[in-house]
Amino acid sequence: MNPSDPSEPTGSTHPAPEKLPRTLAADLSGHIGQEVRLQGFLHNVRRLGTLNFVVLRDRTGLAQIRADAEEMAPLTAVPDESVLEVIGTPGTEPRAPGGVELVAPRITVLAAASEPPPVVLSRRELQASLPFILDHAAVTLRHADRRQALALMAALAEGFRAALRRLDFTEVFTPKMVGATAEGGAEVFRLEYFDVPAYLTQSPQLYKQMLVGVLERVFEVGPVFRAEPHDTGRHLAQYCSLDAEMGFIENVAELIATAREALAEMMAAAAAFMPDQEPVLMPDALPSLSFEDAMAVLEAAHIRQPGERPDLTPAGERHLGEWARTEFLSDFLVVTGYPQDERPFYTHPDPDRPGYSRGFDILFRGLEIVTGGQRLHREADYLRVMAERGMDPTPFGAYLEAFRHGMPPHGGFAIGLERVAKQYLGAANIREVTAFPRYRGRLAP
Ligand code: AMO
């Protein structure tokens, strides 16, 4: 007994009886015939009078408990999702989850829910509209599909980190409140930083480049912010950007190969815990075509008209996704050599093809999930491009200092984590895979 612990009873010389350690649902089959202590949420109850089935959910899965009327007494008027402790003995039962069922239970309610959940969580699918599901995320995220999406995101991020660590990249942590924006455009959130105007970062672009001058190879997993005004199934106002940047590159192919390594490890990590999901088609060398050839493929399919402004629309991306699957048996397609005007100021032009850049995108099942490219690496080139684009270099002073002091040819890419998860799961909307999505009109929960 710990005499300084006020919760311990005093005046007794007998130690408290040892509590059974907690057993998790997934481990029950290893305890057949031995008494165990389960803790979890009341997933659902089937009341048949003398024979009743209680299903308990913990972080590892479901456990079925068979109870008679007397054993059920503590559960009278206790709503689903209440937190329970159940002591009992597992036995083999082929019809129960995991082939195991707990019998002779002693049920204790640790924390009763005050009302039933807003939707039935034990149904195969959540039967409610997406806005309703998101309004009640604190509870609806407990549904199997939603929990699976969260676990998938974790696996994907872990796969990304593991691949880049293996390739000798260093993880970095850059500020999210910034004084200069990297990606341009109007999609930037403004904030007051003490008494000066500032922004929420649109990407760690400027910082990851500066850090190439320090560490050569860096990566970051972190939130970025886009004041995206449109209501689409693929844009969030905050998403998780998986960024990488590397120095001393010879060509863009090295960047694409690095992105492929990262994506391959992400897919492997996802497949390891979702073996029933449709396998991802990923050739050793990802099929690749130039932006111009992509336009030609879309023209041939009448997705775009000749002479139309060159652009990859969502319908175009979807078509190219199907095309890559048919032509190359690949769920991925690299589109290289984007028009220079379409890319941010830091993008390296392609000296061999005036008007085009060394920027690329990667599509996954018909949706852009990666943007990358080679960057300018000389201060004079930055000053020239900024002048051409009418940009004031003053806010970029600290960034430009890196180039003044020597920077190697370099480049990198960023993967949109939620977009990868959406495509992996075949979800219709990116909001379905995001725990607490941010988009215009939603700031809670
Ligand atoms: P870009 O702006 O194309 O490039 O973004 C990179 C990737 O991030 C994802 N993405 C989004 N995901 C959800 N909601 C959004 N609003 C959203 N916007 C973008 C996409 C996209 O491919 N600095 C460059 C990257 C680089 O060149 O290294 C950048 O941020 O998957």
Side-chain angles (χ1 to χ4, degrees), residues 16-38:
E18 281 257 328
K19 248 190 170 183
L20 272 173
R22 182 183 178 201
T23 296
L24 294 165
D27 300 332
L28 272 187
S29 58
H31 295 269
I32 301 291
Q34 304 159 6
E35 187 158 86
V36 297
R37 189 166 66 95
L38 292 176

Side-chain angles (χ1 to χ4, degrees), residues 357-372:
S357 73
R358 288 189 176 162
F360 65 88
D361 277 1
I362 302 179
L363 313 184
F364 174 36
R365 293 179 173 160
L367 177 69
E368 173 204 316
I369 54 149
V370 183
T371 295

Side-chain angles (χ1 to χ4, degrees), residues 151-204:
L152 172 67
M153 299 261 278
L156 291 170
E158 200 39 55
F160 176 79
R161 285 195 171 99
L164 287 154
R165 277 193 215 110
R166 185 164 44 72
L167 296 171
D168 207 22
F169 284 64
T170 303
E171 183 163 13
V172 295
F173 308 90
T174 67
K176 305 304 159 205
M177 295 183 287
V178 295
T181 63
E183 309 302 336
E187 288 119 34
V188 50
F189 287 107
R190 284 158 213 283
L191 68 127
E192 266 173 54
Y193 184 74
F194 303 104
D195 49 359
V196 294
Y199 311 99
L200 288 177
T201 193
Q202 292 172 299
S203 88

Side-chain angles (χ1 to χ4, degrees), residues 95-396:
R95 287 165 298 180
V100 186
E101 183 182 66
L102 211 70
V103 294
R106 299 197 297 286
I107 300 175
T108 312
V109 178
L110 298 179
S114 20
E115 56 181 72
V119 284
V120 181
L121 295 171
S122 53
R123 291 236 172 93
R124 253 179 88 85
E125 277 175 25
L126 279 172
Q127 289 173 343
S129 71
L130 187 55
F132 185 89
I133 290 171
L134 297 177
D135 284 344
H136 298 279
V139 190
T140 53
L141 283 171
R142 298 180 185 188
H143 185 267
D145 287 351
R146 308 279 291 155
R147 279 185 293 134
Q148 188 175 53
L150 299 193
L152 172 67
M153 299 261 278
L156 291 170
E158 200 39 55
F160 176 79
R161 285 195 171 99
L164 287 154
R165 277 193 215 110
R166 185 164 44 72
L167 296 171
D168 207 22
F169 284 64
T170 303
E171 183 163 13
V172 295
F173 308 90
T174 67
K176 305 304 159 205
M177 295 183 287
V178 295
T181 63
E183 309 302 336
E187 288 119 34
V188 50
F189 287 107
R190 284 158 213 283
L191 68 127
E192 266 173 54
Y193 184 74
F194 303 104
D195 49 359
V196 294
Y199 311 99
L200 288 177
T201 193
Q202 292 172 299
S203 88
Q205 183 65 36
L206 307 183
Y207 294 92
K208 65 177 181 171
Q209 283 187 261
M210 288 188 269
L211 289 168
V212 163
V214 182
L215 297 161
E216 290 190 20
R217 294 182 161 206
V218 294
F219 75 92
E220 180 163 15
V221 176
V224 297
F225 306 87
R226 306 271 171 112
E228 173 60 54
H230 305 295
D231 187 4
T232 81
R234 61 187 193 287
H235 287 99
L236 294 166
Q238 173 181 336
Y239 67 92
C240 180
S241 186
L242 307 176
D243 272 88
E245 197 73 14
M246 61 198 279
F248 299 98
I249 60 164
E250 299 290 334
N251 51 45
V252 175
E254 274 178 58
L255 301 174
I256 295 171
T258 306
R260 189 208 172 277
E261 287 277 296
L263 289 168
E265 196 130 344
M266 291 166 71
M267 295 301 130
F273 99 102
M274 290 184 66
D276 299 336
Q277 204 69 11
E278 190 189 338
V280 171
L281 300 177
M282 188 177 218
D284 288 343
L286 298 183
S288 164
L289 84 176
S290 72
F291 183 82
E292 279 173 305
D293 288 346
M295 293 301 114
V297 169
L298 296 178
E299 273 171 35
H302 306 293
I303 307 265
R304 61 170 264 119
Q305 305 306 318
E308 224 178 282
R309 182 177 152 266
D311 190 19
L312 245 187
T313 59
E317 288 184 8
R318 276 196 298 277
H319 179 77
L320 289 175
E322 284 159 27
W323 180 80
R325 208 175 158 93
T326 318
E327 295 284 319
F328 301 103
L329 289 178
S330 176
D331 279 328
F332 295 86
L333 179 69
V334 188
V335 180
T336 60
Y338 271 68
Q340 182 73 9
D341 291 350
E342 306 278 317
R343 303 299 261 208
F345 71 94
Y346 51 78
T347 311
H348 200 296
D350 185 346
D352 300 332
R353 296 170 66 242
Y356 290 91
S357 73
R358 288 189 176 162
F360 65 88
D361 277 1
I362 302 179
L363 313 184
F364 174 36
R365 293 179 173 160
L367 177 69
E368 173 204 316
I369 54 149
V370 183
T371 295
Q374 185 178 346
R375 329 299 186 184
L376 299 173
H377 60 277
R378 293 194 182 88
E379 187 192 17
D381 290 335
Y382 276 99
L383 294 174
R384 181 178 42 75
V385 166
M386 287 178 160
E388 282 167 10
R389 295 195 180 211
M391 291 168 67
D392 176 8
T394 319
F396 297 94

